[in-house]
Amino acid sequence: MAPKKSKYDTNPLDPDFVRNTEEVWGETGGVSETQEVKGATREIGSSANENARSNVYSEAPTRRYDNVPLDSPYPSVFVPPTYSTPAPYQPASTPYRPDRGPRSRSVPGIGLPEKWAVMLPYAPSFIGIVPALLELFLVPRSEGKVRFHAAQALALHTAILVIQTLFAVVGSITSSSIGGNLFKAFATVFLIISMIRVWKGEPHHIAPIAEPTQWFNQHIEPRKKS
């Protein structure tokens, strides 16, 4: 008994293709006829958004695209950003003036300008010890900046004096003064750099001598308190 054929078991190259196709479609009954739709059709009412639908430029989701007017703009994916013209540059009413270091006003108690009062205590060769002590004894505590640099310079000179004494002792034992001379040159350069920094008004805090600086500033009382 030959196997039953389906409508897909056909070969277009087969000479009996047309006859076999008719037999298969005949067995399955062919295509069903269209049935009649019963009942009267009803009219669909217009929606409340009919004005937006009729406007082709509207963003309504039900907008029609079958009858777009010819003068309507082409919808582009790229929309250039809108920006306003920048306002013309207007300079500030008060021009910027950089800080030019300590002020030239006279410091109470010594009568020197502030830029000189903060610089002289760092003078090398232990010369700065004299102005440092004078400022700590004469300048009132209200002048915190001047007293800080005086105390820091005094602590720095004291540290340099102690280290140079140690190098001198070692040099007398070893009969060599190279280490002491190098340290003396280094100390002189460092003191000159300190003078330049405080003259320009730059911050100059030496962390290793912070404690002796604070001690000198607190324990040396000015002659006139304020």
Side-chain angles (χ1 to χ4, degrees):
M1 181 178 178
K4 184 177 180 181
K5 296 182 180 180
S6 66
K7 61 181 179 180
Y8 301 105
D9 295 336
T10 58
N11 186 3
L13 301 179
D14 188 0
D16 298 332
F17 169 73
V18 177
R19 181 176 55 81
N20 295 335
T21 303
E22 292 177 354
E23 292 179 359
V24 172
W25 282 100
E27 295 177 0
T28 57
V31 181
S32 60
E33 297 180 357
T34 303
Q35 299 180 359
E36 182 181 0
V37 179
K38 298 180 180 180
T41 59
R42 59 186 178 86
E43 182 180 359
I44 300 176
S46 59
S47 62
N49 201 18
E50 192 66 26
N51 293 331
R53 182 181 303 172
S54 60
N55 185 6
V56 295
Y57 302 104
S58 174
E59 295 183 359
T62 56
R63 183 174 53 172
R64 297 177 61 88
Y65 290 94
D66 51 354
N67 294 323
V68 180
L70 297 178
D71 59 345
S72 62
Y74 179 77
S76 175
V77 177
F78 173 75
V79 179
T82 58
Y83 63 93
S84 59
T85 305
Y89 170 75
Q90 296 180 355
S93 57
T94 303
Y96 170 74
R97 292 184 177 91
D99 186 11
R100 298 186 180 277
R103 293 175 293 177
S104 59
R105 66 177 182 86
S106 297
V107 178
I110 56 176
L112 289 176
E114 182 179 330
K115 59 183 179 180
W116 287 97
V118 297
M119 184 191 69
L120 289 178
Y122 294 101
S125 300
F126 304 109
I127 300 175
I129 295 179
V130 176
L133 289 173
L134 291 176
E135 290 176 6
L136 289 175
F137 281 114
L138 299 178
V139 175
R141 291 197 176 275
S142 58
E143 299 291 333
K145 184 177 183 180
V146 176
R147 289 187 60 87
F148 167 78
H149 283 290
Q152 181 173 254
L154 182 59
L156 182 59
H157 284 295
T158 303
I160 293 174
L161 180 60
V162 172
I163 296 176
Q164 282 189 356
T165 303
L166 294 177
F167 272 109
V169 172
V170 174
S172 62
I173 297 175
T174 60
S175 299
S176 176
S177 59
I178 297 178
N181 294 332
L182 291 177
F183 176 77
K184 185 177 180 180
F186 170 79
T188 303
V189 173
F190 185 80
L191 288 170
I192 294 175
I193 294 175
S194 300
M195 295 177 67
I196 296 174
R197 286 178 61 88
V198 297
W199 177 269
K200 293 181 177 180
E202 299 177 0
H204 186 58
H205 295 173
I206 306 174
I209 59 174
E211 293 184 2
T213 298
Q214 185 178 2
W215 190 91
F216 284 131
N217 195 4
Q218 291 179 352
H219 288 78
I220 300 179
E221 295 291 338
R223 184 182 61 180
K224 294 181 180 181
K225 298 181 180 180
S226 60

